[in-house]
């Protein structure tokens, strides 16, 4: 097997070993084996790239930048952030083409920046600033993904971006601060809409979160708008029986929708219309009535 192919296979295998659901021996032993495999493969990769005519003459093949992206992704899965940091740094030194591997490298870079908030135990304005720095990197990747020439080939990366964004932004999704997530989260939500992502549950959760952000900013019309969109998606999820958690999610959306509408000039109308849709659903009607009183 050619060395470049062997390294790629081993990097991919090390990532698989880091998956708790991967079949095999004890997870801790397997994870240790995966880390060892990753480190040796990454060392071979770096040596081969530095000596393009050395290591069995494989240096030219090993210079392909996508190998560094894959190594960085595997390093994060194996909880080896230092390897990920080196891999990403080496990747961007080459000024690589802005393709899917460029975007995926940005995702890794964003995760490394996002981790600094927790690792350094940042709080307040410093935590917000560092989290925003990580979010800006995801936004950079999303801009590339959404370019006309990359659609719809890169649409799958929109979902990936939304997952990374969700994990990184959690530190600022709290009262008094979540309003600062509105510009970036709006962009992610719109991207999921534009690509018509088939995961309706995921899109529902995003619209709910964005509704809360607007509510935090005291922008009631926008909060109501996204609450209504979340409600429509949740109802569709239940109707299509997409997931076991869909009915519980729908109840949460109903509560949120009524809550964010509490300061709307048409609050009572929204409450009445939402309650009327329940018809013979006693539980649904009760949830809306109680939430109306509470809000």
């Amino acid at each position: 097997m050619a060395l470049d192919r062997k390294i790629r296979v081993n990097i991919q295998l090390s990532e698989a070993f880091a998956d708790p659901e991967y079949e095999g021996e004890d997870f801790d032993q397997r994870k240790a084996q995966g880390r060892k495999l990753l480190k040796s493969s990454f060392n071979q990769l770096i040596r081969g790239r530095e000596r393009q005519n050395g290591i069995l003459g494989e240096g030219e093949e090993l210079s392909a930048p996508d190998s560094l992206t894959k190594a960085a992704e595997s390093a994060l899965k194996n909880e080896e952030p230092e390897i990920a940091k080196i891999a990403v740094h080496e990747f961007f030194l080459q000024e690589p083409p802005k393709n899917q591997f460029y975007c995926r490298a940005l995702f890794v870079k964003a995760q490394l920046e996002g981790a600094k908030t927790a690792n350094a135990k940042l709080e307040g304005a410093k935590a917000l600033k560092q989290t925003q720095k990580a979010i800006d990197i995801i936004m950079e990747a999303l801009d590339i993904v959404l370019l006309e020439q990359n659609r719809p080939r890169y649409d799958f990366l929109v979902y990936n971006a939304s997952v990374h964004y969700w994990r990184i932004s959690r530190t600022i999704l709290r009262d008094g601060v979540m309003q600062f997530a509105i510009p970036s989260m709006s962009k992610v939500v719109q991207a999921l809409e534009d690509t018509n992502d088939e995961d309706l549950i995921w899109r529902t959760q995003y619209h709910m979160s964005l509704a809360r952000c607007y509510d935090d900013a005291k922008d009631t019309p926008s909060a109501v708008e996204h609450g209504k969109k979340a409600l429509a998606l949740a109802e569709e999820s239940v109707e299509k029986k997409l997931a076991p958690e869909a009915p519980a999610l729908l109840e949460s959306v109903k509560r949120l929708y009524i809550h964010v509408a509490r300061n709307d000039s048409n609050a009572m109308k929204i409450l009445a219309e939402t309650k009327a849709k329940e018809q013979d659903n006693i539980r649904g009607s009760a949830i809306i009535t109680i939430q109306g009183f509470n809000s």
Side-chain angles (χ1 to χ4, degrees):
M1 181 186 294
L3 182 60
D4 66 313
R5 175 168 169 74
K6 180 180 179 181
I7 289 175
R8 288 168 184 262
V9 169
N10 286 342
I11 287 174
Q12 186 175 2
L13 185 58
S14 72
E15 186 172 337
F17 282 171
D19 185 349
E21 297 182 1
Y22 185 85
E23 294 182 1
E25 62 273 17
D26 177 80
F27 176 59
D28 289 334
Q29 292 181 1
R30 188 174 71 244
K31 196 168 185 178
Q33 182 183 354
R35 285 178 171 174
K36 183 178 179 180
L37 187 60
L38 170 66
K39 290 177 181 178
S40 62
S41 299
F42 185 66
N43 286 336
Q44 283 184 312
L45 176 61
I46 294 299
R47 284 167 52 211
R49 291 171 60 81
E50 291 175 346
R51 296 157 52 192
Q52 292 201 359
N53 293 320
I55 306 189
L56 307 179
E58 299 273 355
E60 189 172 341
E61 289 77 9
L62 293 174
S63 67
D66 60 293
S67 295
L68 290 168
T69 298
K70 293 173 182 175
E73 291 173 334
S74 180
L76 286 187
K77 293 284 181 64
N78 280 282
E79 298 176 0
E80 293 287 350
E82 286 305 313
I83 291 179
K85 183 178 178 180
I86 295 170
V88 167
H89 177 72
E90 291 289 327
F91 177 86
F92 287 113
L93 279 180
Q94 299 180 97
E95 297 184 3
K98 294 185 177 181
N99 55 19
Q100 67 151 305
F101 295 104
Y102 188 96
C103 295
R104 287 162 57 182
L106 285 174
F107 292 153
V108 173
K109 185 177 179 181
Q111 291 174 79
L112 291 172
E113 290 295 336
K116 291 179 181 179
T117 303
N119 294 342
K121 298 180 180 179
L122 300 178
E123 296 180 353
K126 290 183 179 179
L128 176 61
K129 184 178 180 180
Q130 183 60 41
T131 301
Q132 189 60 59
K133 183 178 180 180
I135 287 174
D136 287 344
I137 297 171
I138 294 179
M139 295 299 103
E140 181 184 349
L142 201 54
D143 284 337
I144 297 171
V145 171
L146 296 174
L147 288 173
E148 186 176 353
Q149 63 265 31
N150 292 332
R151 300 282 317 280
R153 290 182 302 125
Y154 287 2
D155 282 5
F156 73 97
L157 288 173
V158 170
Y159 179 81
N160 293 355
S162 71
V163 172
H164 296 310
Y165 178 90
W166 189 271
R167 291 171 179 167
I168 290 171
S169 66
R170 283 184 302 180
T171 56
I172 62 173
L173 296 183
R174 47 191 173 81
D175 292 344
V177 182
M178 64 174 66
Q179 57 187 286
F180 297 108
I182 289 175
S184 55
M185 187 177 290
S186 296
K187 189 172 181 177
V188 175
V189 168
Q190 189 60 53
L192 289 170
E193 294 290 323
D194 290 344
T195 56
N196 196 28
D197 192 276
E198 61 184 14
D199 193 337
L200 299 186
I201 298 291
W202 186 237
R203 285 163 59 188
T204 299
Q205 292 172 330
Y206 250 106
H207 276 292
M208 290 176 70
S209 187
L210 187 52
R212 293 189 185 99
C213 291
Y214 275 115
D215 188 58
D216 188 59
K218 296 180 172 53
D219 184 347
T220 298
S222 297
V224 171
E225 176 189 352
H226 287 284
K228 190 173 184 178
K229 288 181 179 179
L231 183 59
L233 288 169
E235 288 172 341
E236 185 178 351
S237 298
V238 170
E239 183 181 343
K240 293 181 177 180
K241 299 179 180 179
L242 296 180
E245 67 269 23
L249 180 63
L250 177 57
E251 291 186 358
S252 296
V253 175
K254 289 174 182 176
R255 292 190 182 96
L256 175 68
Y257 182 47
I258 297 304
H259 182 67
V260 298
R262 66 194 182 282
N263 294 321
D264 192 278
S265 58
N266 295 314
M268 295 307 297
K269 182 180 178 181
I270 291 173
L271 181 63
E273 289 177 348
T274 308
K275 189 175 180 180
K277 290 173 65 175
E278 297 302 319
Q279 296 179 348
D280 297 328
N281 183 0
I282 298 176
R283 176 181 173 81
S285 181
I287 285 173
I288 293 169
T289 300
I290 293 171
Q291 188 61 57
F293 279 120
N294 289 341
S295 296

